[in-house]
Amino acid sequence: DAGVIQSPRHEVTEMGQEVTLRCKPISGHNSLFWYRQTMMRGLELLIYFNNNVPIDDSGMPEDRFSAKMPNASFSTLKIQPSEPRDSAVYFCASSLGTVRDFSYNEQFFGPGTRLTVL
Amino acid sequence: AQKITQTQPGMFVQEKEAVTLDCTYDTSDPSYGLFWYKQPSSGEMIFLIYQGSYDQQNATEGRYSLNFQKARKSANLVISASQLGDSAMYFCAIRHTGNQFYFGTGTSLTVIP
């Protein structure tokens, strides 16, 4: 299995531009998570999906951030307009499991997208 | 509120020695899982070990073991025979019913030759 795939791996953009981060989860996984990691705030959960449905988006910083999961094999995280304080590493992770399922299922992380907003 | 606390921002250990990384958690759920992840300087997150709240025995995976004390709500990671490649950030996380993970702030481990 190729693991969780994220693209791009690095993104440098200017303030005000739209940024789209992409994620392909591991085939068969039904949960997908978007995280943001910074030195100041650590690893923050932004949003997670279960069976393509957003379950909890309380971590999304503000309306400039949006996430979609149109099908089981693809998700996007969009920032519009981007700001310098959005600079971070954005991780996508996937796992098996459902909202009511309590079995052992670790998260598998993608390599991350390092975003720099100038 | 469910949360994870890692009180050691940085730790040092001599090569070949054992080291314990602390993790305490707060949850009202009777069912939960505890995970440890390693993040080397290259940035990827690597799953290390898992402990379920109903597991009777402490989890072990090679040189990693989890010292699970349910009454104290602690799930410390023990790395035996430290190697230089163990130098990394280590994150403790908890998963509840609802499938949501909460991560701690991490501990930076440096293995000294």
Side-chain angles (χ1 to χ4, degrees):
Chain A
D1 198 318
V4 177
I5 299 172
Q6 289 187 249
S7 64
R9 294 293 307 276
H10 302 273
E11 177 81 28
V12 180
T13 190
E14 293 188 345
M15 182 173 63
Q17 296 298 305
E18 177 180 297
V19 175
T20 299
L21 311 182
R22 297 173 176 79
C23 175
K24 175 178 169 55
I26 291 173
S27 177
H29 283 188
N30 57 359
S31 294
L32 184 139
F33 306 78
W34 281 101
Y35 292 91
R36 177 173 68 176
Q37 187 177 35
T38 61
M39 288 294 293
M40 293 297 294
R41 300 175 70 91
L43 195 62
E44 303 173 274
L45 176 65
L46 299 177
I47 185 170
Y48 86 96
F49 296 84
N50 190 260
N51 293 324
N52 311 338
V53 176
I55 301 300
D56 186 349
D57 65 354
S58 59
M60 296 286 263
E62 48 198 273
D63 291 346
R64 298 185 296 107
F65 286 69
S66 62
K68 294 183 179 179
M69 192 165 186
N71 57 62
S73 59
F74 184 65
S75 177
T76 60
L77 178 68
K78 185 177 293 186
I79 308 172
Q80 166 64 19
S82 58
E83 297 182 3
R85 60 191 168 121
D86 301 330
S87 297
V89 178
Y90 290 81
F91 286 101
C92 175
S94 71
S95 75
L96 292 169
T98 65
V99 173
R100 289 189 174 80
D101 175 5
F102 190 66
S103 52
Y104 153 55
N105 284 308
E106 81 269 23
Q107 289 187 341
F108 293 83
F109 280 77
T113 295
R114 182 173 295 277
L115 173 65
T116 302
V117 183
L118 303 174
Chain B
Q2 299 92 348
K3 68 176 185 179
I4 291 281
T5 302
Q6 294 182 256
T7 57
Q8 307 153 312
M11 290 282 287
F12 292 85
V13 64
Q14 202 74 38
E15 193 178 6
K16 300 181 184 178
E17 297 292 313
V19 63
T20 298
L21 307 183
D22 294 342
C23 172
T24 58
Y25 57 93
D26 182 19
T27 181
S28 53
D29 279 0
S31 299
Y32 52 89
L34 295 155
F35 300 78
W36 277 92
Y37 285 83
K38 172 184 178 181
Q39 187 178 39
S41 58
S42 51
E44 71 269 32
M45 294 284 282
I46 303 166
F47 165 72
L48 294 178
I49 194 168
Y50 164 84
Q51 180 84 43
S53 59
Y54 293 121
D55 292 344
Q56 296 296 313
Q57 293 188 327
N58 287 342
T60 60
E61 287 287 346
R63 294 186 298 109
Y64 304 109
S65 61
L66 207 152
N67 183 2
F68 181 47
Q69 298 187 48
K70 193 171 181 177
R72 293 187 175 185
K73 294 188 174 180
S74 75
N76 299 338
L77 176 70
V78 180
I79 305 175
S80 63
S82 297
Q83 302 172 355
L84 296 178
D86 294 334
S87 294
M89 283 289 291
Y90 289 81
F91 293 93
C92 180
I94 187 168
R95 174 181 181 262
H96 304 265
T97 50
N99 205 28
Q100 191 160 352
F101 281 71
Y102 297 89
F103 283 81
T105 53
T107 295
S108 176
L109 176 67
T110 302
V111 180
I112 304 168

